[in-house]
Amino acid sequence: MKLLTIILAALLDIVPGGDAVLEQIQKRDSILIADQMRYSVTVSGMDKESGIFLPDLSKASNDTLTILGGWQLDTLSGGRAVRSRNAKAADKILRKPFDLRASIIFVPFEEGRYQLPDIPVVRSRTDRADTLLFKGIEMEVKTMPVDTATFQLHDIKGQIQYPVTFKEMLPWIGAGLLAAALIALLVWLIRRAQKRKAEEGKPKDPAYIVALRELDKYRSDKYWAPEKQKAFYSGITDALKFYIDDRFGVDAPEMTTAELFDALKSDKDITPEMFSSLKDLFERADFVKFAKHVATDEENAGALPLAVSFVTTTYQADIEKENAGEEAGKD
């Protein structure tokens, strides 16, 4: 049991101000060690012209009784603290007489009986200053009672392990799926870049080889069926357009049939017979693709050989020109 006594200096014009008030912040039926306590006084009859001066209790703080922070002031209305959110509301409160509560928080850290200090408060007015003395109160601090007859020591228990719920795992599952998706995307991009690099390193096949390879896909007569003729004629004409683009320097894939043959009519490597037959083939393909025309088996049978003949004939013309140029160079 300890008795805490704080001796304050005597002040002039001391007026009894009542008793100080002790209030528990954590509501209990008794005061325990380490409970936070609010020690406060209330000054009545304050107005806008009044002011107060509070004693410095920081020197009373020690290992046994620790003071947290400084004084806190609250304006009271009807016994309750009033806090205004703007200057206009605060000015409205201060127009009438009001009460002012001053409080300080302390924590006892040792069992015992404490005599809390008297609190002198100087209230100043325009014409005078009074010292209001609030009488300190006694406080008893207790510890949790222990029944020594039945008390038994037990081993320290480990941390309680709660089962992991699906909701807790959901963010981790999402993060794992996202990481897997990013890794898959990265692998795909790397393989795509490697494939593109490998393709760039390969020698490019001549245009006539590419064209003949594409035309060879349509050798079967299964494409002669009415419902497949559109794919048949589209495949043949597309292969020929890409070949013409490379061989003759004509932007065939972007041209209509009329524009294409208007550009080819002056080329000397295409005989008039080949020009006429090839034009008929392209016009028939347009009717099949856009006018729902159904070509006869005889027309279908001649379409692929004509396309192959055009490619091989014009390619042979290139070979003959190269040979002729080499012989002329030798001469």
Side-chain angles (χ1 to χ4, degrees), residues 104-122:
I104 195 166
I105 306 296
F106 63 84
V107 181
F109 286 104
E110 189 171 329
E111 181 184 12
R113 186 178 298 275
Y114 295 80
Q115 176 62 48
L116 298 180
D118 296 342
I119 301 178
V121 179
V122 178

Side-chain angles (χ1 to χ4, degrees), residues 165 169 294:
T165 63
M169 290 297 297
V294 178

Side-chain angles (χ1 to χ4, degrees), residues 8 20-21 38-42 52-58 67-74 101-105 117-121 134:
L8 300 171
V21 178
R38 187 190 305 276
Y39 193 42
S40 63
V41 297
T42 301
I52 64 171
F53 299 91
L54 299 166
D56 182 11
L57 298 183
S58 61
I67 295 177
L68 303 180
W71 289 98
Q72 298 178 4
L73 299 179
D74 291 310
R101 182 177 66 188
S103 62
I104 195 166
I105 306 296
D118 296 342
I119 301 178
V121 179
F134 293 87

Side-chain angles (χ1 to χ4, degrees), residues 161-209:
Q161 299 293 331
Y162 293 97
V164 180
T165 63
F166 178 75
K167 185 177 181 180
E168 293 173 332
M169 290 297 297
L170 191 59
W172 295 99
I173 295 173
L177 292 176
L178 178 61
L182 292 175
I183 292 173
L185 177 62
L186 181 61
V187 171
W188 179 78
L189 291 174
I190 292 174
R191 290 182 176 178
R192 182 182 179 187
Q194 292 175 344
K195 183 179 179 181
R196 183 175 297 177
K197 187 176 181 180
E199 290 177 352
E200 291 176 354
K202 292 181 180 179
K204 187 179 179 181
D205 290 334
Y208 78 96
I209 295 295

